[in-house]
Amino acid sequence: MADHDPKRAPEVGTVAGLREHKGVVVADAKWAGIITPEQRQQILARFETKKRTNTRAPRRYVLSGLLRCGKCGNKLFSAVRKETRRYVCQSGPDHGGCGGITIVAPPLEEFLAAAVLMRLDTPQMTDALTGRRAADERQSSLLTELEADRSQMKELSELWAAKEISSAEWKAARGPIEARIKATERQLAMASNSTALDGLIGTGGHLKETWETLNLDRQAAIIKAVLDYATILPGTPGARALDPARIQPAWQL
């Protein structure tokens, strides 16, 4: 039995009720087809399109959603060109970019991962996390206060429903409680949450040693906890190595 050639168009004439020879229909078959000749053409057309564009299943990129075009500000998308993984600004109605930025993925991913891990060990990150943890403690206190005020509001409503207090008394008591609830909700909206960074500060050196053993989801989670996004500036035509000056990171902290 001959080996299957994945680059060769499938002979689907048989299931379309047609006789084929080397991909060319030579006659109607004596059996009924289970697809129509039109459907056969659609299958062949899709195969040819895939062969021309070398379309593959989507590949995961660790910086997906974190890169912006330095020309138009649009997000960069992952793409494979000539067997090389890249991040590109894609133009057209489906993407809305300018198409003016392309950067090879592996060296960029390595550079930004190293920058993230180095940043985890800086005193600035330790100070920032200390502030965030203080904010988290304040958030816990605010949640307790909010729950108490909501319980008091419920109790007040029950007293009014049972006619134990008048409408005037209910309105007078309700005002201060509502004001406290609104103020607390505003403070909670501004409070920070350090959950994503818990356990990461000061571990950059260790993570660097074990980085390649982490799965892509874990790598992406660590990077996203530290990096807000990175803007990629235009490169020098013909350059073969990554120019760090093209990369402008915006840090979460």
Side-chain angles (χ1 to χ4, degrees):
M1 182 177 179
D3 292 336
H4 172 65
D5 182 358
K7 295 183 179 180
R8 181 180 175 184
E11 295 183 358
V12 293
T14 300
V15 292
L18 302 170
R19 288 185 178 275
E20 285 184 344
H21 179 65
K22 295 184 178 180
V24 178
V25 176
V26 295
D28 291 335
K30 295 181 179 179
W31 54 84
I34 60 176
I35 64 173
T36 67
E38 289 77 16
Q39 290 171 327
R40 168 186 174 274
Q41 286 302 122
Q42 291 173 358
I43 293 172
L44 291 176
R46 283 199 296 269
F47 182 87
E48 287 301 315
T49 299
K50 182 176 180 180
K51 186 169 67 173
R52 287 196 304 270
T53 60
N54 196 27
T55 303
R56 297 181 177 181
R59 185 200 300 260
R60 291 289 305 277
Y61 287 61
V62 74
L63 298 177
S64 293
L66 293 176
L67 303 177
R68 297 183 184 179
C69 175
K71 286 187 172 182
C72 68
N74 200 53
K75 285 188 176 182
L76 301 190
F77 292 85
S78 57
V80 175
R81 294 182 180 177
K82 298 181 180 179
E83 300 300 320
T84 301
R85 295 193 303 112
R86 303 171 188 267
Y87 293 97
V88 301
C89 179
Q90 295 187 350
S91 58
D94 292 337
H95 300 95
C98 65
I101 291 291
T102 298
I103 190 165
V104 176
L108 174 64
E109 292 167 349
E110 183 178 348
F111 177 86
L112 281 175
V116 164
L117 299 182
M118 183 180 298
R119 190 169 179 82
L120 284 173
D121 287 341
T122 61
Q124 291 86 345
M125 283 293 286
T126 302
D127 293 343
L129 186 59
T130 299
R132 290 179 71 131
R133 283 175 175 162
D136 286 347
E137 292 176 3
R138 174 57 179 157
Q139 184 183 46
S140 177
S141 176
L142 288 171
L143 287 170
T144 300
E145 294 174 14
L146 182 62
E147 183 62 27
D149 283 332
R150 285 175 174 170
S151 295
Q152 190 175 20
M153 182 68 80
K154 181 181 179 181
E155 181 181 355
L156 185 65
S157 298
E158 290 172 349
L159 289 173
W160 178 81
K163 297 185 178 181
E164 295 184 22
I165 60 174
S166 66
S167 295
E169 290 173 323
W170 175 67
K171 290 179 181 178
R174 183 187 63 177
I177 301 174
E178 284 186 336
R180 289 200 304 269
I181 289 175
K182 289 181 180 179
T184 302
E185 288 176 339
R186 283 195 299 269
Q187 292 179 68
L188 282 169
M190 295 185 293
S192 300
N193 190 337
S194 62
T195 302
L197 286 169
D198 281 349
L200 292 180
I201 302 301
T203 64
H206 172 70
L207 286 172
K208 183 178 180 181
E209 295 176 358
T210 60
W211 187 254
E212 294 302 324
T213 67
L214 303 178
N215 62 44
L216 198 62
D217 287 336
R218 181 57 177 159
Q219 290 179 350
I222 293 171
I223 291 174
K224 289 178 181 178
V226 180
L227 178 69
D228 189 10
Y229 64 90
T231 298
I232 307 302
L233 302 179
T236 303
R240 294 185 176 274
L242 176 68
D243 179 5
R246 295 185 63 192
I247 309 166
Q248 294 186 340
W251 304 107
Q252 296 275 17
L253 289 174

